[in-house]
Each structure stands twice: as C-alpha cells, then as structure tokens.
Amino acid sequence: MAEKSETLDAAFQALADPTRRAILSRLGQGPASVGELAAPHDMALTSFMKHLKILERSGWIVSAKAGRVRTCSIVTDRFADVGAWVYGHRSLWER
C-alpha cells in the first residue's frame, strides 16, 4: 500500500506544475522531440530538462535517444492509476 501511495504522490506532484501539464497535453497528440516540446516554453533548456526528468521519474513519460535526438512519449498507465484514485474518492466529493 505504501508503494502505491508513493506512486500517486509522485504522479500528483508532477501534475502540480503548469509546464509539466502542458508537456503531457502535447504528448497526448503523439511522441515529440525535446526541442519540439521545449519550443513553446520561455525557459532555458536546462530548466526545461528538469521538468522532463520529473515527468520521467514519476512515470508519466518515457524517452529514447536516436543519434542526437531525444524523443519523449506519454505513458498511459499513469492516467489509469490517477483516474482510479479520483474515481474511488468521487462519492466523497459528490455528497
């Protein structure tokens, strides 16, 4: 149970930042290179990479490098985990 709690904590913590939510929204359309993901954000690439690392460590995305290009993809399992937690607590909020 503690492992599931840590997984949810990391998932929600990653979602707490608007930049990371925007990255996930973009990846919902399909895989993208780091450059494509970073383009709409006004920040240094090193700062942007920290957001990607948080998303990757929390299980929201995976990345693969081919030559000089790193491509990121969304992991849909994390949505199921968070969705199950939200659905499980829905009756409390609807009272």
Side-chain angles (χ1 to χ4, degrees):
M1 186 72 163
E3 181 180 321
K4 192 69 157 177
S5 179
E6 288 174 16
T7 301
L8 280 172
D9 290 349
F12 282 115
Q13 187 175 27
L15 291 176
D17 186 273
T19 299
R20 293 191 287 267
R21 291 192 305 270
I23 293 167
L24 290 175
S25 292
R26 167 52 190 89
L27 290 175
Q29 300 169 18
S33 70
V34 169
E36 292 171 325
L37 293 171
H41 303 281
D42 187 27
M43 66 178 69
L45 187 58
T46 54
S47 297
F48 186 78
M49 291 301 292
K50 290 178 183 180
H51 289 288
L52 292 181
K53 287 182 185 195
I54 290 168
L55 288 170
E56 199 159 14
R57 274 189 264 132
S58 62
W60 284 106
I61 67 171
V62 293
S63 67
K65 190 170 184 180
R68 295 179 55 137
V69 178
R70 180 165 296 279
T71 302
C72 299
S73 302
I74 202 163
V75 177
T76 56
D77 294 352
R78 187 60 60 226
F79 287 97
D81 293 342
V82 170
W85 185 88
V86 170
Y87 185 77
H89 291 81
R90 184 177 173 184
S91 63
L92 292 173
W93 301 323
E94 290 179 343
R95 289 186 199 159

